[in-house]
Amino acid sequence: MASQKHKNLLRYAKGYRGRSKNCFRIAIRRVQKAWQYAYRDRRQQRREWRKLWIVRIQAGVRQYQWNYSRFMPALQQSHVQLNRKVLADLSANEPFAFKAVVDVVNHEQQQMKEKEISVSNGGE
């Protein structure tokens, strides 16, 4: 039983340097540490992707006199259901489609401003 457990763990340690690949007591420490790194880095990878998407969206909206911090709330208010990954892809690879999204947000913002003006003028 123990030998099967050792063999299974040593399979995970394949490719490690020194005795970490064939000595069970050392290999178990190395494998557990590798699993910790993998757990941590899966989360860091998601953060890195999100940062990349934000940079790409920022570069795309700058062409149309927007910045990211104003564009994203305006996008939510205009009820456009596109996430950052899709927006970044549109910005980088489909500039006409991305411009259409920006135009929708611009149009929605104009309508909201007109509505606010009409409400404020009607109340006086």
Side-chain angles (χ1 to χ4, degrees), residues 45-72:
Q45 184 182 35
R46 291 185 189 107
R47 288 180 215 141
E48 291 297 320
W49 277 110
R50 184 181 168 100
K51 281 196 266 185
L52 176 68
W53 296 334
I54 290 171
V55 166
R56 287 182 178 174
I57 294 168
Q58 173 80 311
V61 297
R62 282 271 171 103
Q63 296 173 346
Y64 305 107
Q65 288 71 43
W66 282 88
N67 62 4
Y68 177 82
S69 62
R70 292 177 195 250
F71 178 75
M72 292 307 284

Side-chain angles (χ1 to χ4, degrees), residues 64 66 71 96 98-108:
Y64 305 107
W66 282 88
F71 178 75
F96 294 114
F98 188 73
K99 184 177 182 339
V101 172
V102 173
D103 289 343
V104 167
V105 173
N106 278 334
H107 181 70
E108 199 68 32

Side-chain angles (χ1 to χ4, degrees), residues 60-123:
V61 297
R62 282 271 171 103
Q63 296 173 346
Y64 305 107
Q65 288 71 43
W66 282 88
N67 62 4
Y68 177 82
S69 62
R70 292 177 195 250
F71 178 75
M72 292 307 284
L75 187 75
Q76 296 296 321
Q77 289 174 353
S78 60
H79 304 291
V80 176
Q81 298 291 320
L82 293 175
N83 60 19
R84 286 172 182 83
K85 180 179 177 180
V86 172
L87 285 170
D89 187 49
L90 288 176
S91 171
N93 301 321
E94 301 288 340
F96 294 114
F98 188 73
K99 184 177 182 339
V101 172
V102 173
D103 289 343
V104 167
V105 173
N106 278 334
H107 181 70
E108 199 68 32
Q109 288 295 309
Q110 288 295 330
Q111 284 185 341
M112 289 180 68
K113 285 181 183 177
E114 290 171 4
K115 190 182 290 185
E116 288 175 7
I117 292 171
S118 67
V119 168
S120 63
N121 287 342

